[in-house]
Amino acid sequence: MPPRKRSQADDPGPAKKRATRSGTRSETTSAKSGACVAEAKATEVSKEAEEEAKEAVQGSKNEAQTKSKKQAKQAKRATQAKLGEPTTEHAKDPEDAKPLKQPKLATSATTTQEAPTPGRRFWLMKAEPETRIEKGKDVKFSIDDLASRTEPEGWDGIRNYGARNNLRSMKEGELAFFYHSNCKFPGIVGIMAIVKEASIDTTAFDPKEPYYDPKSDPLNPKWYLVHVKFVEKFNRTVGLHELKKYAGKELADMPLLKQGRLSVSEVPEGCWDFVIGLAKKPAEEI
DNA sequence: GCCAACGTTGGC
DNA sequence: GCCAACGTTGGC
């Protein structure tokens, strides 16, 4: 599905093609015993971590004293890497499993009444629509593939902290652009909806998976996915080249254009609306 | 296939 | 904790 590493390995391992994506590998996929157990365990663990995190927040005073150094460190790193949780936070750090605290409240709704309802945010997620074999499996995933699904699709394979953090702050009901990358005509091709919030991406634990991460540990999961469903395919692709025309203007704040490599990024509401406008433009006006 | 930009790793 | 070397993304 989403883009990833290019190991040239190509070992023609067996592989029920599409295993990765065909999945909807949510907890309902009770078939795979091993992975499932792992997931269950991992879930527990992450719950614990969640509890810890909560406690940490509640007892923030004490915590501030005991952990302030650590936090300072993290903050610094985060700044350095500018992508959120970076480099060293690996397996060791239990904070890694910390789930979605309050994402920064969204722009517009920040000011509105009842605090606990952050505004809806918008996203952009990349996938490769053209065949590419990774560890014997085709990682291709296009908007047409998504459209053909009858069940929510687990957006797995995200192996970048910045992207992951974005995944983890997605809320059910939010919308995302589907972006075709690493292909002839890269660009935004349609819209999907988040139908299930972050859960553990168990493909990280399976050596046969294209996006296996030997450093991830079911007991302290690093990688997450969300489930999405198809909403709409645009009549035309809003190409990257076209988007770039507005990079200094209407789309100045579009992370896609500033940090091209992030496979899951946020789209400011204004940019969202603007892109929709582009997508609906009659051909003559393009 | 090239390569710029950026992320990650590991030595010190 | 810095930073050089290495790896990956993804447009072209």
Side-chain angles (χ1 to χ4, degrees):
Chain A
M1 59 149 2
R4 256 319 54 164
K5 40 190 123 184
R6 276 156 211 211
S7 68
Q8 64 295 55
D10 282 27
D11 72 285
K16 10 170 207 174
K17 186 174 171 156
R18 321 276 25 241
T20 327
R21 319 219 77 273
S22 59
T24 299
R25 58 179 67 261
S26 55
E27 39 282 69
T28 59
T29 321
S30 46
K32 318 168 62 172
S33 54
C36 205
V37 170
E39 176 167 343
K41 256 192 204 155
T43 307
E44 276 171 30
V45 171
S46 88
K47 280 230 181 83
E48 283 171 25
E50 187 169 356
E51 289 309 311
E52 276 177 30
K54 267 186 201 149
E55 286 173 1
V57 171
Q58 289 168 347
S60 58
K61 253 194 183 167
N62 309 335
E63 216 234 355
Q65 291 183 330
T66 51
K67 280 210 199 155
S68 60
K69 273 185 191 164
K70 187 178 186 185
Q71 288 179 332
K73 256 191 209 167
Q74 287 185 334
K76 189 174 183 194
R77 279 208 212 96
T79 310
Q80 289 173 336
K82 107 201 215 197
L83 275 192
E85 302 163 56
T87 67
T88 45
E89 75 155 23
H90 287 282
K92 299 194 153 185
D93 193 344
E95 283 282 288
D96 188 28
K98 102 188 151 221
L100 23 152
K101 300 191 172 169
Q102 286 309 342
K104 326 155 202 178
L105 296 197
T107 58
S108 54
T110 318
T111 51
T112 37
Q113 2 107 330
E114 276 79 69
T117 314
R120 274 223 297 185
R121 298 163 81 188
F122 300 89
W123 308 96
L124 179 146
M125 300 162 85
K126 300 180 183 177
E128 302 182 41
E130 295 174 3
T131 288
R132 207 184 90 232
I133 303 302
E134 189 80 42
K135 280 202 174 175
K137 294 187 182 183
D138 192 349
V139 296
K140 151 185 148 62
F141 192 67
S142 69
I143 193 162
D144 293 325
D145 292 320
L146 180 63
S148 72
R149 296 282 125 98
T150 55
E151 287 187 81
E153 177 74 8
W155 199 268
D156 57 23
I158 299 301
R159 300 291 180 266
N160 166 284
Y161 288 111
R164 180 204 66 178
N165 292 346
N166 283 333
L167 278 184
R168 297 208 302 193
S169 51
M170 291 177 179
K171 298 297 181 197
E172 186 179 333
E174 291 179 341
L175 300 175
F177 285 135
F178 194 123
Y179 180 93
H180 280 173
S181 74
N182 202 22
C183 59
K184 268 277 172 50
F185 191 14
I188 295 171
V189 294
I191 297 174
M192 56 195 160
I194 311 305
V195 294
K196 180 167 179 273
E197 294 174 16
S199 57
I200 293 162
D201 181 355
T202 57
T203 64
F205 311 136
D206 182 351
K208 293 199 284 292
E209 288 292 336
Y211 304 133
Y212 171 58
D213 175 6
K215 290 190 192 146
S216 79
D217 172 2
L219 296 179
N220 188 12
K222 267 163 79 176
W223 305 119
Y224 290 76
L225 53 71
V226 295
H227 284 81
V228 300
K229 78 167 187 213
F230 174 83
V231 171
E232 164 181 11
K233 180 182 180 179
F234 296 147
N235 290 326
R236 67 183 194 91
T237 297
V238 182
L240 180 62
H241 61 86
E242 182 178 356
L243 295 169
K244 281 181 173 169
K245 289 196 266 186
Y246 307 97
K249 304 169 260 186
E250 290 90 339
L251 299 180
D253 295 326
M254 187 99 165
L256 174 76
L257 302 177
K258 296 192 289 191
Q259 198 184 3
R261 299 178 52 195
L262 240 204
S263 59
V264 178
S265 58
E266 184 166 5
V267 179
E269 190 165 2
C271 295
W272 177 272
D273 293 338
F274 185 76
V275 171
I276 301 274
L278 291 179
K280 311 288 183 195
K281 250 194 202 168
E284 313 82 74
E285 296 179 26
I286 297 168

